[in-house]
Amino acid sequence: MPGSEQLLVDRIPTPIGELVIIADQAGKLRAVDWTDHEGRMLALLARHCRHGFDLHPRRDPHGLSRALKAYFKGDLAAIEPLETATDGTPFQHAAWRELRRIPAGRAISYAELARRIGRPRAVRATGLANGANPISIVVPCHRVIGSDGSLTGYGGGIHRKRWLLAHEGCETAE
Amino acid sequence: MPGSEQLLVDRIPTPIGELVIIADQAGKLRAVDWTDHEGRMLALLARHCRHGFDLHPRRDPHGLSRALKAYFKGDLAAIEPLETATDGTPFQHAAWRELRRIPAGRAISYAELARRIGRPRAVRATGLANGANPISIVVPCHRVIGSDGSLTGYGGGIHRKRWLLAHEGCETAE
DNA sequence: CGGCTGCTCGCGGTTTTCGGACATGGACAG
DNA sequence: CTGTCCATGTCCGAAAACCGCGAGCAGCCG
C-alpha cells in the first residue's frame, strides 16, 4: 500500500516489564511504551499516521534497543543522544523538548515545567501534554512530579515512575 | 523533510478555463481541478497528506496532461485508462468508482447513482460525495444530474458542467 | 499559635460531542 | 401542483468536558 509508513518494532525485557520500541527507517524513535499499554500506544500512532502503517519486527533496530538496555543496566546517559520523531501540537513539542533538558537524577514540578516553556499558568495542560508523550523513558516524563513532592500520576503506573526515579538516583518524597 | 509527499503539478488551458493537474511519482492522478478553485483543492489535498507535500512543476507528467488535452480536442476516451489515487471514506470510494463506469455521453441521476452503489436511500449523501471528488473530469462527476433532468450543482460552476456534457454529446434538459 | 490535612476552585490545551449545512428525491397532505 | 418532511454521509465550527496541577482557605490538633 503506497504511502503507508514502514516501521520497525522490537521488544525488550526490563526489571519493570516488557518495553515496546518503534522506530522509523531513518533510525528515529517513534514510540516507546510498556507492553501492557500497547493498545493505547497504537491508538496514538494511528491518530498521526493517517495512511496507516506496517510494523516489521526487527532485532535492535538502529541500535535503539541496545541503548535502552544500557540505560536499564545503569548507563543512564545512553538514551540521551537518541533522536525522536513525533507528531503533536506546538505546545506538546515545547513540553517534550523541555523534558529532555532535565538531567537524570533530577525531578521538577509541573509548575516549573510550565514556567520553563513560557506558559506559567498552563500547569494542568502541561500535565496533559506529559501524558500524551509517545516516547516513554527517552523523553523522561517521569521526571516531573507534584509541587509537594508527590508522584501524582504516570501513564505506565505509579510504581514504574517510582522505580525509574530511584534507578536514576533521585531522592523524592513519598 | 522526510515523509512529505513529492508531487508533480502541471497546468493546461481548456476552452472553459485553466486546469491544474497533480500526479504522484507513480504516475497516478491525485487531483484535477480548475485554477480558480485551486485553494479548495489544495485544502483537500492537505487534509489527506498529514505530513505535508511538495509540489514540483513538471511539463506533462507521465503523459497525463497530453491525455486531458486529447479529451478536450474530442478524443473522449483518452481519459478512461488513467489511473487515480485518492483518499476518502469507503462510501466516497464506492461513489467515485461507480462514476467512472458511466460512459461519455450518458448522464444518470443522483438517485440512480445511489442505487448502483447499493445505498438507494443515501441520495443526498451521494451528492456530497460527488462534490468531494478530487479529480474533476477524469472521475466524471459532471455526468450526474437531477432526477428531473436539471443540472443541479457543480463544484466548478454550472456553466462548465453544461459545457462538458455538451462536449460529450449528451442531450440534457434545461 | 504553627503545622498539617483536605476541599474547592481556577487555570488552559486537547479531545469529544453536537448541531447544522449540503450538488437530492420520494411520499404525503392540502 | 405546491409545500413539508425525512433519510443519509461527511465536514466544520462552537461549546463543553476532561485532566498526570496547584494555590488558597477553613478546620483540626497539639
Side-chain angles (χ1 to χ4, degrees), chain A residues 13-76:
Chain A
T14 82
I16 44 178
E18 192 183 63
L19 215 50
V20 188
I21 301 170
I22 295 185
D24 60 23
Q25 294 175 317
K28 298 194 176 184
L29 274 174
R30 290 296 186 92
V32 173
D33 213 338
W34 309 99
T35 297
D36 45 339
H37 295 310
E38 195 165 348
R40 183 176 62 107
M41 180 188 61
L42 292 177
L44 257 182
L45 260 186
R47 185 182 312 149
H48 295 303
C49 289
R50 267 307 163 90
H51 298 277
F53 53 89
D54 300 332
L55 293 180
H56 303 279
R58 171 87 52 108
R59 263 227 325 260
D60 190 27
H62 301 282
L64 294 169
S65 304
R66 190 163 40 83
L68 273 156
K69 282 179 189 167
Y71 165 84
F72 276 98
K73 275 186 192 151
D75 180 6
L76 302 179

Side-chain angles (χ1 to χ4, degrees), chain A residues 89 91-93 95-96 99 113 117 123-134 141:
Chain A
T89 67
F91 180 84
Q92 289 171 331
H93 272 125
W96 299 337
L99 281 179
L113 180 57
I117 63 179
V123 185
R124 203 159 181 180
T126 302
L128 269 290
N130 236 4
N133 166 32
C141 54

Side-chain angles (χ1 to χ4, degrees), chain B:
Chain B
M1 189 171 295
S4 80
E5 289 267 346
Q6 302 302 310
L7 301 178
L8 309 172
V9 55
D10 194 16
R11 292 155 198 280
I12 64 172
T14 82
I16 45 178
E18 192 183 65
L19 216 49
V20 188
I21 301 170
I22 295 185
D24 59 22
Q25 294 177 318
K28 299 195 175 183
L29 273 175
R30 290 297 186 91
V32 174
D33 212 338
W34 309 100
T35 298
D36 44 339
H37 292 26
E38 196 167 346
R40 182 178 62 106
M41 181 189 60
L42 291 178
L44 258 181
L45 260 186
R47 185 185 312 148
H48 295 302
C49 288
R50 265 307 162 92
H51 297 278
F53 53 90
D54 299 333
L55 293 179
H56 303 280
R58 170 89 50 110
R59 264 227 325 261
D60 190 28
H62 302 283
L64 294 169
S65 304
R66 190 162 41 82
L68 273 157
K69 283 180 187 167
Y71 165 85
F72 276 98
K73 276 184 191 151
D75 180 7
L76 302 179
I79 57 174
E80 287 173 11
L82 304 186
E83 291 188 79
T84 62
T86 54
D87 290 294
T89 67
F91 180 84
Q92 289 171 329
H93 273 124
W96 298 338
R97 188 168 37 236
E98 201 59 42
L99 282 179
R100 295 206 67 174
R101 287 208 251 267
I102 310 173
R106 279 291 306 281
I108 68 174
S109 69
Y110 293 95
E112 171 63 19
L113 180 58
R115 218 169 354 243
R116 290 187 185 181
I117 64 177
R119 296 276 181 58
R121 263 166 284 122
V123 185
R124 197 160 185 179
T126 302
L128 269 290
N130 236 5
N133 166 33
I135 308 190
S136 291
I137 300 174
V138 176
V139 177
C141 55
H142 57 277
R143 292 177 192 155
V144 185
I145 60 180
S147 280
D148 61 354
S150 66
L151 297 189
T152 60
Y154 184 64
I158 296 284
H159 63 288
R160 288 189 174 123
K161 188 170 186 175
R162 181 157 32 230
W163 189 95
L164 288 167
L165 288 172
H167 179 60
E168 295 180 350
C170 179
E171 322 89 7
T172 63
E174 209 274 345

